[in-house]
């Protein structure tokens, strides 16, 4: 059998050379650019990647405010059924060769129904679509309100909440944008294009390619199998080093929305307080007008104006401030003010941003929210569910928040990619604290520390911070999960990445999640909080629960001894197949999962008096992974099943979290333990 792994970039030399990326010195690996060799598709994807990187960089000058309706703005959500076709041609390139975007998709071949938002993988009975690699094509015709087009003073914008992984968007056959990366939104103005032929319907075509290469985030490789005695002609697979299924498609809603020609493009609100006075340091950026007259008003929850200004930037002072507090830390968590920005241009524009006033600080032993020690008792999650995969799903979102509150969880990490902004809005409102992670997961190959990867990673952090900077629930950025941080290039890679993220947002700590050896981890010197994953008595010393106290204690002492930084146990856990029981506990039973937790908790309880500032269980719910001999239809480390039913560990963790809340926070008066939410 001959197999070859296609590397997108292959170093001609492993020696680092000095170069500058976004103004910082960094070491980059000299690369020979050779795009992934899925036959025939290489050229197209290659050309797209390069130009997309430029587009993405240029696009960063603008804002990415979540579209909201207002007296000056309308939003039309295009959720529902779209036409769909996977390009199953051997080259995966037929769609581009035949320009499927130029005509209605149904005119170029068979089309099936596909819901948006949803991953396409689990929607049909077609095995080849579940594991499809390459371009898929979506199409939808929309009737655009005539008034949007008759009024030249109206901008019409198409926004894709997220599509995985690489997207190209056409409107009426004309390309309007392309974007590299899932999990984050992108948009394009299409008003002028629609006005060229206002009577014809607006036909939106979106091609999405889920191929991962060593330069994408997350990275992956395409592996070809050429042995014709074993594999069909042209057989190839997508490999990756992360533990969730590479769901693909249009995962979040596609919107059309309007703004006036002169409009509020971006708002940044940074908050702090002193005694009873809150401060909202804001900055507004306006597009489409050379001069701007503004009215900025901060309103409390009851709609009373508490501060105002006419300037593009400034500090709003709030007397008798209601701070934004985490759930279970205060009897009025998640307090939000409304920052209304009114642009008095010829066509008025109004945008209202929810603002929570709070501060975040880190000492050598504590994580402080509003100057009070905050202990993360929470979970890691996934955007993952039966049938819809990673598609945004309101019933699931609300159910998960009810479960989080039932559990007494005050926080979660967006493992291992940015979640929908709708979820962050819920966190803001409910006081659930978030560690916001970018899709830097599975960075294991030295090629993925190269300059092209780093450049893309910096852009992704730009996009993430630009989208999520105003969410009070977001208290820390995570730039990666379990990278090969012991490799030589990890030093300058993480130095550059973390410095860049801090420059984008000096107000939040930055971390990445490590499973490396404390003495050899090259990025740890640059993080503000050490976040460690470990699976004692699971991935090694299987079945030996008695090693946990010793190994966990050693883990904490080593990390703290070297860095004197607060530590979060960012993952720990064990698989449990619901309904499997054994006493004494054996691996994969509900009892074993509970016993692992219990052994970890005993050590947490000693160390949280010193420098451990949080514990996040892996995982909130079972989730789908790639198929393999260690996964029984997915990862079973959830304390809830994939259908959100509790395993024994959920009840056990609930006891603990409510008791932690009793010890570390102020239980809201509206909640009694056991909570009846
Ligand atoms: C990890 C990874 C996570 C996996 C988990 C596991 O360290 O960060 O993505 O799912 O372990 O269950 O193996």
């Amino acid at each position: 059998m001959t197999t070859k792994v296609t590397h997108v970039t292959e170093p001609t030399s492993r020696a680092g050379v000095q170069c500058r990326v976004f103004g910082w010195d960094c070491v980059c690996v000299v690369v020979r650019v050779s795009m992934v060799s899925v036959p025939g598709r290489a050229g197209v994807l290659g050309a797209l990647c390069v130009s997309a990187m430029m587009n993405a960089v240029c696009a960063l000058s603008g804002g990415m405010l979540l579209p909201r309706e207002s007296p000056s703005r309308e939003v039309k959500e295009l959720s529902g059924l779209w036409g769909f076709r996977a390009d199953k041609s051997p080259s995966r390139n037929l769609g581009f060769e035949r320009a499927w975007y130029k005509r209605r998709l149904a005119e170029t071949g068979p089309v099936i129904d596909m819901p948006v938002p949803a991953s396409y993988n689990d929607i049909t009975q077609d095995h080849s679509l579940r594991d499809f690699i390459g371009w898929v094509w979506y199409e939808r015709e929309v009737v655009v309100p005539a008034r949007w087009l008759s009024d030249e003073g109206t901008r019409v914008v198409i926004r894709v909440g997220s599509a995985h992984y690489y997207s190209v968007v056409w409107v009426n056959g004309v390309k309007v944008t392309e974007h590299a990366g899932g999990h984050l939104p992108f948009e394009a103005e299409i008003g002028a294009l629609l006005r060229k032929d206002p009577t014809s319907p607006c036909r939106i075509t979106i091609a999405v390619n889920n191929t991962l290469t060593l330069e994408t985030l997350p990275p992956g490789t395409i592996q070809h199998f050429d042995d014709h005695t074993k594999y069909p002609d042209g057989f190839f697979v997508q490999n990756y080093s992360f533990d969730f299924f590479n769901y693909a498609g249009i995962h979040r809603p596609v919107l059309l929305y309007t703004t006036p020609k002169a409009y509020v493009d971006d708002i940044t609100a940074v908050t702090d307080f002193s005694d009873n006075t809150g401060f909202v340091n804001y900055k507004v950026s306006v597009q489409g007008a050379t001069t701007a007259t503004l009215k900025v008003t901060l309103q409390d929850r009851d709609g009373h104006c508490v501060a105002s200004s006419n300037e593009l930037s400034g500090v709003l002072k709030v007397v008798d401030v209601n701070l934004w507090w985490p759930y279970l830390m205060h009897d009025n968590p998640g307090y939000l003010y409304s920052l209304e920005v009114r642009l008095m241009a010829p066509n008025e524009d109004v945008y209202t941003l929810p603002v929570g006033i709070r501060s975040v600080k880190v000492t050598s032993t504590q994580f402080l929210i509003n100057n009070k020690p905050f202990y993360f008792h929470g979970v890691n999650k996934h955007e993952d569910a039966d049938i819809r995969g990673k598609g945004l799903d309101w019933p699931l979102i609300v159910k998960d928040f009810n479960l989080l509150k039932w559990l007494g969880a005050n926080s979660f990490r967006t493992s291992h990619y940015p979640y929908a902004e709708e979820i962050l809005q819920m966190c803001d409102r409910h006081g659930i604290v978030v560690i916001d992670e970018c899709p830097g997961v599975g960075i294991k190959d030295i090629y993925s520390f190269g300059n092209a990867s780093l450049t893309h990673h910096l852009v992704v952090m730009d996009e993430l911070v630009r989208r999520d900077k105003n969410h009070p629930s977001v208290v820390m950025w995570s730039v990666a999960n379990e990278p090969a941080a012991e490799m030589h290039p990890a030093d300058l890679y993480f130095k550059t990445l973390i410095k860049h993220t801090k420059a984008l947002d000096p107000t939040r700590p930055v971390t990445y999640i490590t499973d490396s050896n404390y003495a050899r981890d090259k990025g740890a010197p640059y993080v503000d909080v050490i976040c460690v994953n470990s699976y004692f008595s699971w991935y090694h010393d299987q079945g030996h629960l008695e090693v946990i106290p010793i190994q966990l204690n050693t883990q904490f002492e080593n990390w703290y001894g070297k860095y004197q930084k607060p530590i979060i146990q960012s993952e720990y856990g064990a698989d449990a197949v619901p309904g499997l029981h054994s006493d004494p506990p054996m691996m994969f039973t509900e009892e074993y999962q509970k016993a692992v937790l219990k052994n970890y908790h005993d050590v947490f309880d000693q160390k949280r008096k010193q420098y451990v500032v949080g514990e996040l269980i892996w995982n909130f719910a079972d989730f789908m992974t790639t198929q393999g001999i260690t996964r029984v239809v997915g990862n079973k480390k959830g304390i809830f099943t994939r259908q959100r039913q509790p395993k024994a560990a959920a009840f056990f963790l609930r006891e603990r979290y409510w008791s932690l809340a009793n010890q570390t926070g102020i239980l809201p008066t509206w909640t009694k333990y056991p909570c009846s939410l």
Side-chain angles (χ1 to χ4, degrees), residues 45 78 82 110 164 219 286 389 392 453 543 595:
L45 188 56
L78 308 182
W82 287 53
H164 190 76
V286 169
L392 182 122
S453 296

Side-chain angles (χ1 to χ4, degrees), residues 171-451:
V171 170
N172 294 339
V174 178
K175 189 172 108 185
V176 295
T177 190
E178 59 190 270
H179 183 260
H183 319 289
L184 287 165
F186 54 96
E187 54 182 45
E189 191 178 340
I190 59 170
L193 186 61
L194 295 180
R195 279 183 196 105
K196 281 190 186 151
D197 187 2
T199 53
S200 73
C202 162
R203 182 168 48 82
I204 299 168
T205 314
I206 306 182
V208 186
N209 192 321
N210 60 350
T211 306
L212 301 178
T213 72
L214 287 176
E215 291 170 358
T216 58
L217 219 57
T221 51
I222 298 291
Q223 187 172 13
H224 299 267
F225 294 78
D226 300 334
D227 182 344
H228 296 304
T229 66
K230 290 188 177 167
Y231 298 99
D233 204 21
F235 185 79
F236 64 93
V237 295
Q238 171 79 72
N239 295 320
Y240 43 84
S241 303
F242 53 87
D243 184 37
F244 53 92
F245 187 69
N246 190 37
Y247 276 115
I250 302 179
H251 284 156
R252 297 182 192 149
V254 179
L255 308 176
L256 294 183
Y257 72 94
T258 64
T259 76
K261 271 264 166 341
Y263 63 101
V264 176
D265 180 48
D266 200 11
I267 306 171
T268 307
V270 171
T271 66
D272 203 351
F273 70 98
S274 169
D275 299 324
N276 276 347
T277 308
F279 303 104
V280 178
N281 196 331
Y282 74 92
K283 189 167 178 229
V284 176
S285 108
V286 169
Q287 290 288 332
T290 41
T291 56
T293 311
L294 280 189
K295 177 93 180 137
V296 177
T297 324
L298 191 70
Q299 292 168 4
D300 66 15
R301 216 181 237 179
D302 303 320
H304 300 129
C305 173
V306 294
S308 65
S309 161
N310 294 320
E311 304 297 328
L312 275 168
S313 61
V315 180
L316 301 172
K317 264 196 200 173
V318 186
V319 288
D320 291 330
V321 64
N322 280 304
L323 295 179
W324 185 94
W325 287 98
Y327 175 57
L328 302 180
M329 201 175 173
H330 192 267
D331 59 9
N332 192 8
Y335 191 98
L336 294 174
Y337 291 86
S338 297
L339 185 69
E340 183 191 272
V341 178
R342 190 172 285 268
L343 175 65
M344 320 289 222
N347 297 319
E348 190 175 80
D349 188 26
V350 186
Y351 190 91
T352 304
L353 180 77
V355 172
I357 300 178
R358 57 108 183 93
S359 69
V360 173
K361 291 181 192 112
V362 171
T363 72
S364 62
T365 55
Q366 289 179 318
F367 196 99
L368 303 172
I369 295 183
N370 300 338
N371 299 331
K372 296 252 169 28
F374 177 74
Y375 187 76
F376 295 78
H377 44 92
V379 303
N380 290 277
K381 292 184 91 261
H382 265 299
E383 288 181 321
D384 174 89
D386 287 332
I387 302 172
R388 73 207 67 225
K390 291 201 176 305
L392 182 122
D393 177 0
W394 276 112
L396 184 76
I397 292 172
V398 175
K399 177 76 178 173
D400 280 4
F401 272 80
N402 287 332
L403 290 176
L404 286 170
K405 295 177 94 173
W406 173 89
L407 193 63
N410 63 4
S411 51
F412 66 79
R413 168 165 70 116
T414 68
S415 47
H416 294 305
Y417 38 79
Y419 294 175
E421 210 175 340
E422 290 84 342
I423 296 176
L424 295 183
Q425 287 183 309
M426 291 278 285
C427 291
D428 293 343
R429 286 179 35 235
H430 291 272
I432 300 293
V433 168
V434 175
I435 300 172
D436 201 353
E437 186 156 287
C438 91
V441 54
I443 304 175
K444 302 287 189 191
D445 190 298
I446 190 133
Y447 300 95
S448 295
F449 287 105
N451 195 38

Side-chain angles (χ1 to χ4, degrees), residues 44-45 47-49 51-52 55 82 96 101 135-138 158 160 163 165-171 174-180 186 204-209 250:
V44 175
L45 188 56
L48 291 175
C49 282
S51 72
N55 286 350
W82 287 53
F96 285 93
Y101 48 88
W135 291 103
V136 298
W137 293 72
Y138 288 80
I158 182 168
V160 180
Y165 174 84
Y166 195 97
S167 312
V168 188
V169 182
W170 295 264
V171 170
V174 178
K175 189 172 108 185
V176 295
T177 190
E178 59 190 270
H179 183 260
F186 54 96
I204 299 168
T205 314
I206 306 182
V208 186
N209 192 321
I250 302 179

Side-chain angles (χ1 to χ4, degrees), residues 544-613:
H544 290 287
L545 294 160
E546 64 275 23
V547 305
I548 295 176
I550 305 167
Q551 296 187 1
L552 187 56
N553 192 63
T554 307
Q555 167 199 286
F556 285 140
E557 289 294 286
N558 283 343
W559 279 102
Y560 193 75
K562 184 158 164 88
Y563 287 109
Q564 291 88 50
K565 294 176 185 177
I567 303 178
I568 294 175
Q569 182 75 38
S570 39
E571 286 182 27
Y572 72 106
D575 289 71
V577 177
L580 266 195
H581 296 287
S582 77
D583 185 28
M586 287 174 62
M587 292 178 77
F588 291 102
T589 64
E590 297 198 35
E591 287 74 17
Y592 194 87
Q593 186 183 38
K594 255 173 70 176
V596 168
L597 268 50
K598 167 87 177 74
N599 277 280
Y600 266 79
H601 296 167
D602 291 345
V603 182
F604 295 160
D605 283 338
Q606 293 157 29
K607 298 298 175 191
R608 69 188 169 84
K609 296 184 190 118
Q610 300 170 36
Y611 49 77
V612 168
V613 297

